Amino acid sequence: MLVASFGGPEMVAPAFVVAKREFAGSWEYLLEEAIFTVPPHPVWSGAALINREGKLVGVGSLMVGDAAGGSPGNMFVPIDRLPPIMADLLSEGRVVGPGRPWLGLTTEESGGKLLIGRVAPGGPAAKAGLQKGDVILGVGGRAASGLADFYRQVWALGAAGAVVRLDVLRMNEKRRFDLKSIDRMDHLKFKSTF
């Protein structure tokens, strides 16, 4: 593969695909199958991942410390995710329809626990009283086995607006919080380009 980024010919570099696997991001993000490459490209964001036939197969998203076996590399979003949403993106700038439930949490897996690292000001989690340092146990009485499982449980409740019952551990006390989820796009503040 080749990774091609902006900056001319010196920003084109060879890479090897070392894994295609699920990726769960701390910011309420999940890809069922992301592409992981090594070595890491220094200018990865938006970079093109090009196969031997010269076809675009992925768009650079992240630098990761564990592309394969603890080796640093890059994570690419497969390009085949684009055709089903391309018309919406061109006409509306976003996918049309109800969004997934968004809670306004940054959550990390640490020592087998889901630890809240940040609560977005004004988001559903903040309004419900969740705090940095709380540990998410599960959703509605069902334990979460990891970050990806947690997202799947939340998203299975329906579209944005669904009430999410979070089971949380705070200072060795189990608590339940009801969060009225929202569409993340409604929380973001966009600057006009006009």
Side-chain angles (χ1 to χ4, degrees), residues 66-90:
D66 64 343
S71 297
N74 297 118
M75 188 272 279
F76 288 82
V77 176
I79 198 66
D80 60 359
R81 294 182 52 88
L82 189 57
I85 62 171
M86 183 64 120
D88 286 353
L89 294 177
L90 290 172

Side-chain angles (χ1 to χ4, degrees), residues 26 114 126 136 169 192:
S26 63
L114 297 177
I136 296 171
L169 187 65
S192 175

Side-chain angles (χ1 to χ4, degrees), residues 90-114:
L90 290 172
S91 67
E92 303 298 323
R94 65 183 277 185
V95 177
V96 175
R100 288 182 168 155
W102 182 73
L103 306 178
L105 296 172
T106 301
T107 309
E108 300 285 343
E109 285 189 67
S110 178
K113 297 179 180 176
L114 297 177

Side-chain angles (χ1 to χ4, degrees), residues 28 102-105 118-131 179-189:
E28 301 184 55
W102 182 73
L103 306 178
L105 296 172
R118 182 177 180 275
V119 177
K127 289 177 181 176
L130 287 160
Q131 300 173 359
L179 288 72
K180 183 164 177 25
S181 66
I182 64 172
D183 185 330
R184 168 186 264 142
M185 298 300 284
D186 294 336
H187 185 73
L188 298 174
K189 295 184 177 34

